[in-house]
């Protein structure tokens, strides 16, 4: 027999021992998952006794978190741009950093624009853009069928209509052109892959690893973008904090003069350029 207050205290100690950063916060959240309550109001119920069933369900969740499975995978969802998105081990957990990309895209988007999201994962960016600009026609692609299953559920859950296609970058898009292409591609390099937090190791490697120098997908997308942008169309990337110069160079070479934006932590996070070529696919100047 154990009371809520005591169960949370023990869980917090177990999680702390395993190196979990916000152990108390996570312990309350996991208990809220068992009791289907909200973590704040649970604090007022500290003296309540857990049933055996509740106690064992709580232990199982705490054990998963102690093994450093991300809280969002255990809860099954994550918040992004004010909406709840379902997540599981086949998709990257949406980061707050990525809101910088979405806000810039929404600033530029107009009703009627055709938008492509490459490597949509949970569908976070595509859903946020369609949600914020319902007049845009949003297409989202991913190489992973399992990720697309999650993304489709999220689009439906948010009442957004998005076209989903299984595609390795532009592979399945034929000659289609878009007014805006956005992507948060895998961008971690060899060195970064070796120093990941245990939680990030639970996320799909295919959504994180961008080749030896982390730039593989920027090279591919920049090279091919002129075949898929309409004249005046824009390419917007999320980037790793040290990639501004390298990605800007690629943009300049293949697309157009770039500009960069910082995220809320002050790191370079987004690079954008407008394609000034002609519909034939070549650069004008
Ligand atoms: N931002 C992620 C991280 O820091 C990486 C995401 C990506 O590669 N697109 O782990």
């Amino acid at each position: 027999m154990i009371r809520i207050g005591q169960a949370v205290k023990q869980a917090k100690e177990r999680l702390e021992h395993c190196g979990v950063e916000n152990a108390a916060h996570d312990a309350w959240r996991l208990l809220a998952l068992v009791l289907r309550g909200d973590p704040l109001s649970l604090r007022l119920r500290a003296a309540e006794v857990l049933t055996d069933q509740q106690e064992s369900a709580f232990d199982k969740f705490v054990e998963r978190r102690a093994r450093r499975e991300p809280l969002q995978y255990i809860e099954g969802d994550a918040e992004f741009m004010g909406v709840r998105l379902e997540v599981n081990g086949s998709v990257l957990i949406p980061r707050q950093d990525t809101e910088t990309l979405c806000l810039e895209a929404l600033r530029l988007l107009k009703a009627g624009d055709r938008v492509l999201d490459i490597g949509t994962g949970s569908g976070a960016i595509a859903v946020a853009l369609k949600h914020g600009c319902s007049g845009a026609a949003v297409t989202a692609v991913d190489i992973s069928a399992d990720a697309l299953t999650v993304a489709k559920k999220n689009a439906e859950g948010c009442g957004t209509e998005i076209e989903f296609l299984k595609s390795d970058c532009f592979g399945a898009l034929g000659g289609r052109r878009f007014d805006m292409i956005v992507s948060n591609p895998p961008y971690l390099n060899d060195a970064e892959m070796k120093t990941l937090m245990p939680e990030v190791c639970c996320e799909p490697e295919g959504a994180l690893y961008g080749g030896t120098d982390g730039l593989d997908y920027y090279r591919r997308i920049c090279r091919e973008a002129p075949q898929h942008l309409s004249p005046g169309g824009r390419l917007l990337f999320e980037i790793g904090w040290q990639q501004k110069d390298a990605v800007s160079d690629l943009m300049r070479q293949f697309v157009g003069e770039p500009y960069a934006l910082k995220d809320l932590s002050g790191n370079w996070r987004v690079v954008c350029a407008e394609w000034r070529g002609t519909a034939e696919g070549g650069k004008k100047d």
Side-chain angles (χ1 to χ4, degrees), residues 133-149:
C133 181
S134 57
V138 181
T139 300
V141 300
D142 204 287
I143 194 172
S144 155
D146 290 340
L148 286 172
T149 303

Side-chain angles (χ1 to χ4, degrees), residues 6-28 30 58 61-69 197-199:
Q6 185 63 16
V8 169
K9 186 165 174 286
Q10 284 177 10
K12 170 185 168 273
E13 283 159 10
R14 169 105 181 89
L15 295 179
E16 263 170 359
H17 178 74
C18 294
V20 170
E21 255 173 41
N22 298 308
H25 165 270
D26 287 14
W28 281 111
L30 293 173
F58 183 50
F61 285 143
V62 172
E63 209 36 52
R64 285 171 67 182
R65 188 70 190 100
R67 277 186 261 117
R68 307 295 295 271
E69 186 173 342
M197 301 254 297
E199 281 82 358

Side-chain angles (χ1 to χ4, degrees), residues 13 17 44 133 135 156 169 186 263 271 284:
E13 283 159 10
H17 178 74
L44 304 172
C133 181
E156 264 172 45
C169 291
D263 63 23
V271 176
K284 245 196 304 202

Side-chain angles (χ1 to χ4, degrees), residues 92 95 97 184-188 196 200 203 207-209 238 269:
L92 192 82
R95 314 279 204 263
D97 296 341
N184 172 18
Y187 57 63
L188 300 185
L196 295 180
V200 182
E203 297 185 275
L208 296 167
Y209 182 55
E238 172 166 322
R269 190 58 65 194

Side-chain angles (χ1 to χ4, degrees), residues 73 86-94 121-123 146-148 150-151 203-204 207:
Y73 284 162
E86 188 175 315
V87 292
N88 62 31
S90 26
V91 298
L92 192 82
I93 297 163
S122 66
D146 290 340
L148 286 172
V150 175
E203 297 185 275

Side-chain angles (χ1 to χ4, degrees), residues 8-107:
V8 169
K9 186 165 174 286
Q10 284 177 10
K12 170 185 168 273
E13 283 159 10
R14 169 105 181 89
L15 295 179
E16 263 170 359
H17 178 74
C18 294
V20 170
E21 255 173 41
N22 298 308
H25 165 270
D26 287 14
W28 281 111
R29 290 276 290 257
L30 293 173
L31 189 69
L33 200 56
V34 174
L35 300 182
R36 297 191 175 82
D38 114 80
L40 286 178
S41 62
L42 278 186
R43 285 164 169 79
L44 304 172
R45 293 165 52 188
E48 213 171 282
V49 174
L50 293 179
T51 66
D52 289 348
Q53 247 176 348
Q54 289 168 337
E55 190 183 340
S56 97
F58 183 50
D59 284 347
K60 286 201 185 100
F61 285 143
V62 172
E63 209 36 52
R64 285 171 67 182
R65 188 70 190 100
R67 277 186 261 117
R68 307 295 295 271
E69 186 173 342
L71 185 63
Q72 294 93 330
Y73 284 162
I74 302 172
E75 292 184 328
D77 58 26
E79 201 195 303
F80 182 73
M81 294 283 288
V83 295
R84 288 235 138 252
L85 299 171
E86 188 175 315
V87 292
N88 62 31
S90 26
V91 298
L92 192 82
I93 297 163
R95 314 279 204 263
Q96 195 185 27
D97 296 341
T98 306
E99 298 191 355
T100 309
L101 173 68
C102 291
L103 292 174
E104 181 62 4
L106 285 173
R107 188 181 74 78

